[in-house]
Amino acid sequence: MTLLLDEIAAATVRLAEAGVDSPRADAETIAAHVHGVGRGELQRVADGEFDPRFWNEVARREAREPLQHITGLAYFRYLELEVGPGVFVPRPETEVMTGWAISSLQDMDVAEPVVADLGTGSAAIALAIAQEVPRARVHAVEADPLARQWAQRNIASCANSAPHTRGRVTIDEGDFAGALPSLSGAVDVVISNPPYIPVGATVPPEVAEYDPAGALWGGEDGLDAVRVIEGVARRLLRPGGLVAVEHGESQGAAVYWIFAEERGWRDTRNHKDLAGRDRFVTAQLAGSEPEPEWKDGWHERTV
Ligand SMILES: C[S@@+](CC[C@H](N)C(=O)[O-])C[C@H]1O[C@@H](n2cnc3c(N)ncnc32)[C@H](O)[C@@H]1O
């Protein structure tokens, strides 16, 4: 362990010098991955067991390859997802929006709620919903064939680890602009983490070089895809259905106004991520949702 601790300390210095945000945590995660133990079990690695492949993987991280590409894994809510070249690495901020959708679905008085995840990538959002809302049916829409392969793989392994998700998540190929025509007016929740970075913005090397371009760039103001999603959500949702859309920290006001009352939305709200930054907008589709039946209590409630 002494040797491994020394190597981890040296790797931490190298990663910090390369501009990595969390050098110690990344060095420990790489050490754990290479030695086939959990991060909390690194003490168990004896000096004689030190695996020099540690330094190959540290060099990859030093070149700013994402940690998740090195380990091949990303964690999202209760899921362990496979990720790598060709798919967007799911982010912690998206867990908060997904949690909002999960709570809303759990509160909904609908036997088998229908959900559309527009731009599913690794299927992180779709699978988290299927795992945590066992009655939900989730349509995971994705245009990129490489990303769809990762999504398919994750859906298959989740069906083994959480059998109640089997058959509940369907991948729908193609552009979300025309997605799911047969479900128009029948969807309970539309959720999306779309590309929203304004073209020309500076992003870290992990993002620029490893996340697929189609997952990142959203036109001049970053909101091209959000505007499309607003129209798609309006078409897909039943009256009273809910939409949640992620955005960049400076886009909260602009996205709020995209889900405007004049377009048929009500109860539009801004939400923050765990770091307190504006991160997603939710809204409800107005329309002729059935009025609650007061029955016997009607007089009491109206006088
Ligand atoms: C920011 S990533 C989000 C992936 C995943 N939902 C997540 O949160 O980790 C956006 C995803 O949307 C997909 N995408 C972008 N434009 C699309 C479009 N017009 N139709 C369908 N998918 C699209 C990209 O390929 C990418 O996988």
Side-chain angles (χ1 to χ4, degrees):
M1 177 60 184
T2 317
L3 175 62
L4 185 56
L5 265 187
D6 290 347
E7 304 289 316
I8 288 171
T12 301
V13 172
R14 269 175 63 172
L15 295 181
E17 282 169 357
V20 170
D21 269 349
S22 45
R24 176 80 194 189
D26 286 19
E28 286 182 6
T29 302
I30 291 170
H33 168 65
V34 167
H35 293 92
V37 297
R39 227 175 112 189
E41 299 167 321
L42 283 168
Q43 305 89 312
R44 284 187 9 212
V45 180
D47 281 358
E49 290 168 4
F50 175 73
D51 187 333
R53 284 178 310 162
F54 172 72
W55 284 107
N56 301 340
E57 308 299 60
V58 168
R60 289 172 68 186
R61 187 71 191 102
E62 202 175 9
R64 303 297 294 273
E65 191 170 341
L67 184 66
Q68 295 88 343
H69 281 215
I70 295 167
T71 61
L73 293 174
Y75 297 92
F76 189 82
R77 293 186 66 87
Y78 302 106
L79 299 168
E80 185 180 270
L81 299 161
E82 287 185 50
V83 293
V87 73
F88 182 84
V89 173
R91 307 292 208 272
E93 49 268 33
T94 308
E95 293 178 310
V96 183
M97 174 176 73
T98 307
W100 179 91
I102 287 167
S103 307
S104 304
L105 284 159
Q106 286 165 342
D107 290 347
M108 236 175 230
D109 191 16
V110 177
E112 287 195 279
V114 178
V115 179
D117 171 20
L118 305 182
T120 200
S122 63
I125 297 174
L127 282 172
I129 291 175
Q131 192 192 36
E132 295 179 59
V133 188
R135 297 165 295 112
R137 294 198 173 275
V138 190
H139 295 267
V141 181
E142 177 56 56
D144 184 328
L146 263 183
R148 283 202 301 270
Q149 287 179 17
W150 289 102
Q152 198 63 65
R153 202 182 295 183
N154 286 320
I155 291 168
S157 63
C158 193
N160 291 329
S161 58
H164 67 273
T165 64
R166 190 181 299 275
R168 296 234 156 221
V169 182
T170 318
I171 295 186
D172 292 86
E173 299 182 14
D175 195 312
F176 46 55
L180 309 169
S182 62
L183 290 179
S184 293
V187 173
D188 297 288
V189 169
V190 170
I191 184 166
S192 183
N193 172 18
Y196 56 69
I197 303 176
V199 169
T202 305
V203 294
E206 287 87 345
V207 177
E209 289 168 37
Y210 294 95
D211 279 322
L216 301 178
W217 308 109
E220 201 176 330
D221 66 352
L223 298 178
D224 286 1
V226 175
R227 283 185 278 268
V228 172
I229 282 162
E230 185 277 325
V232 178
R234 192 153 27 91
R235 169 173 64 78
L236 287 177
L237 288 173
R238 57 151 171 97
L242 302 171
V243 64
V245 182
E246 185 170 319
H247 56 72
E249 60 182 287
S250 60
Q251 296 169 330
V255 176
Y256 179 93
W257 290 112
I258 290 174
F259 289 86
E261 208 174 319
E262 307 84 81
R263 293 199 178 94
W265 299 101
R266 66 182 180 211
D267 201 19
T268 302
R269 292 179 195 212
N270 288 108
H271 301 258
K272 295 189 187 301
D273 61 22
L274 292 173
R277 296 170 298 211
D278 260 0
R279 186 56 66 193
F280 65 103
V281 161
T282 61
Q284 183 170 42
L285 190 66
S288 50
E289 197 181 6
E291 287 297 319
E293 288 180 29
W294 298 121
K295 296 190 179 132
D296 295 344
W298 191 84
H299 287 291
E300 283 166 34
R301 287 167 198 268
T302 52
V303 290

